[in-house]
Amino acid sequence: MIDQRSGAAPAVRLAGLRKVFGSGDGAVVAVDSVDLDVGDGEFFAMLGPSGSGKTTVLRMIAGFETPTAGRIHLGGRDVTADPPFDRDVNTVFQDYALFPHMSVLDNVAYGLMVKGVGKSARRSRAREALATMRLAGMDDRRPGQLSGGQRQRVALARALVNHPKVLLLDEPLGALDLKLREQMQVELKSLQREVGVTFLFVTHDQEEALTMSDRIAVFNDGGVEQVGTPTEVYEHPATPFVAGFVGTSNLISGTASGELLGEEGTFSIRPEKITLRPGEAVEGSADAAEREVVAAGEVQEVVYAGPSTRYVVRLDAGPELVALQQNTGSASGRSAAPRGSRVRLGFARENVYRVRGATREEGTT
Ligand code: ATP
């Protein structure tokens, strides 16, 4: 697909990409029939559980693995058969792979040296890259004398110093502790905006993908279940797998969907879209029923989590739903609806989404 507005080819295009490791009985299909377009300048996440094939896709784009079938295009050029150094991409690995015995400046300038750039030119370009990564003045330090977040930025500076068209990042924040990771999520996004390079990153952390990306491809078992913006993927999950993997979701299906929603199928509703009211159900007006579903049930579990509380409620109609309530009221610590109590759950019909009845590999699309 050519971008209609700019007329430019996508930064990355994957067409029918497949990778099988091994052969015969021991063959593993790591990636199967992946079609994906990543736009120029996009911050794009490949999100999925361990073993879903996202790293293998990244390694094929970098040229470290050869596809069993399919094509890879970078900026409109077919690079499927090209070696890694002929591709206009750089990779940031999870462990950063910095040279411990070299200064920060030499680490960043190394790639330019390999390419034959003269000493003063490579030093000034490395300093520029370090300044962009907010690391000015750290030239002479060794990687061991830096914090985790600083090391991460050195790795980014090193990968960006050649001005690649695409930066591939493999779990770029995986080695950082939670606080630093949250900080770096925001920082990485703003750095990407500043340098304008296409970022394609792999993560199994759904919050990270939602926070940083322009678009997300959700991987499952070697294939892509859904591609969309964070809002699309979160608010309108296409399959039960996406609904379950990205955030928490309630699924309503079978006879319960007929009884509660008046329609057969599989539907998803997010816990924060459900309100919980203590007490037994009372009949509302027909008008209200058209807009809102109200169902009675019993509280099975109450999980207090500071700003919010999760209630697990078994509805009389069958399904067990999770309702997330913000703790904006009294600070007494008393639950509005203790375990075992009767409650009504209410949710707007417009927040209920039909999802495909099965995940991709079960064959119903
Ligand atoms: P993780 O988040 O754990 O890295 P992933 O989604 O990136 O997972 P891949 O590393 O791409 O998944 O692996 C996909 C599948 O391919 C897995 O079943 C894995 O065991 C298998 N696989 C990956 N590399 C090889 C290899 N070199 N030889 C054999 N099988 C492999």
Side-chain angles (χ1 to χ4, degrees):
M1 180 184 66
I2 300 284
D3 187 315
Q4 294 299 327
R5 280 162 307 173
S6 66
V12 179
R13 161 169 288 181
L14 309 178
L17 204 60
R18 179 176 166 85
K19 178 70 185 177
V20 182
F21 289 107
S23 58
D25 285 350
V28 175
V29 181
V31 175
D32 196 13
S33 315
V34 168
D35 298 307
L36 209 58
D37 275 2
V38 179
D40 210 17
E42 255 194 312
F43 201 124
F44 194 99
M46 296 197 283
L47 170 71
S50 183
S52 58
K54 46 203 196 301
T55 302
T56 304
V57 169
L58 200 79
R59 291 175 59 78
M60 286 194 279
I61 298 169
F64 303 137
E65 298 286 356
T66 309
T68 309
R71 313 302 304 172
I72 298 167
H73 293 252
L74 294 176
R77 191 166 73 92
D78 189 335
V79 301
T80 317
D82 293 353
F85 51 83
D86 275 345
R87 302 182 184 203
D88 206 357
V89 300
N90 263 337
T91 309
V92 176
F93 297 99
Q94 185 175 5
D95 61 2
Y96 314 143
L98 298 174
F99 301 119
H101 59 286
M102 278 189 197
S103 70
V104 163
L105 190 72
D106 288 343
N107 259 286
V108 176
Y110 182 80
L112 297 173
M113 187 181 76
V114 173
K115 287 203 165 168
V117 178
K119 186 166 181 175
S120 74
R122 67 176 187 254
R123 293 204 139 216
S124 78
R125 277 175 63 182
R127 283 208 181 88
E128 214 176 285
L130 285 167
T132 312
M133 292 299 131
R134 290 163 207 144
L135 287 167
M138 305 253 176
D139 300 8
D140 297 330
R141 295 220 199 154
R142 303 278 150 126
Q145 296 169 314
L146 299 175
S147 72
Q150 289 166 337
R151 271 201 292 277
Q152 215 263 348
R153 279 180 282 151
V154 173
L156 279 171
R158 190 178 58 173
L160 288 168
V161 74
N162 293 336
H163 302 299
K165 273 267 190 292
V166 178
L167 195 64
L168 305 173
L169 304 113
D170 189 3
E171 300 267 1
L173 308 179
L176 307 177
D177 64 44
L178 182 65
K179 261 270 174 294
L180 189 55
R181 201 157 71 219
E182 285 174 355
Q183 212 176 309
M184 283 303 293
Q185 285 172 3
V186 179
E187 187 140 340
L188 202 56
K189 176 75 198 159
S190 82
L191 290 171
Q192 188 264 346
R193 224 178 276 129
E194 276 168 41
V195 296
V197 170
T198 306
F199 274 32
L200 179 53
F201 85 108
V202 158
T203 182
H204 61 262
D205 183 331
Q206 44 108 358
E207 197 187 306
E208 198 163 288
L210 292 172
T211 314
M212 294 198 287
S213 329
D214 296 317
R215 285 193 307 147
I216 301 171
V218 184
F219 276 72
N220 178 27
D221 204 22
V224 175
E225 292 260 332
Q226 185 175 5
V227 180
T229 63
T231 316
E232 282 164 358
V233 167
Y234 185 78
E235 299 284 351
H236 305 199
T239 66
F241 175 82
V242 177
F245 190 71
V246 183
T248 309
S249 199
N250 295 298
L251 290 179
I252 302 171
S253 60
T255 51
S257 74
E259 191 173 329
L260 289 168
L261 308 170
E263 269 183 276
E264 292 294 322
T266 303
F267 297 85
S268 140
I269 171 89
R270 294 289 182 190
E272 68 275 17
K273 306 281 196 231
I274 300 178
T275 55
L276 177 142
R277 298 159 212 165
E280 285 293 339
V282 277
E283 291 300 317
S285 68
D287 202 26
E290 224 169 78
R291 280 176 280 119
E292 197 186 25
V293 177
V294 179
E298 187 179 305
V299 176
Q300 306 292 303
E301 212 58 73
V302 180
V303 184
Y304 176 75
S308 60
T309 298
R310 287 160 55 92
Y311 294 89
V312 182
V313 176
R314 160 83 53 203
L315 294 181
D316 299 343
E320 206 170 69
L321 301 190
V322 175
L324 190 74
Q325 307 297 293
Q326 295 301 314
N327 292 327
T328 50
S330 139
S332 69
R334 255 181 291 120
S335 170
R339 202 151 70 88
S341 66
R342 298 283 302 167
V343 291
R344 286 165 294 145
L345 297 186
F347 45 93
R349 288 186 189 275
E350 63 175 10
N351 290 330
V352 179
Y353 287 96
R354 183 186 284 275
V355 296
R356 292 203 305 255
T359 50
R360 190 187 45 80
E361 78 279 10
E362 285 166 299
T364 44
T365 51

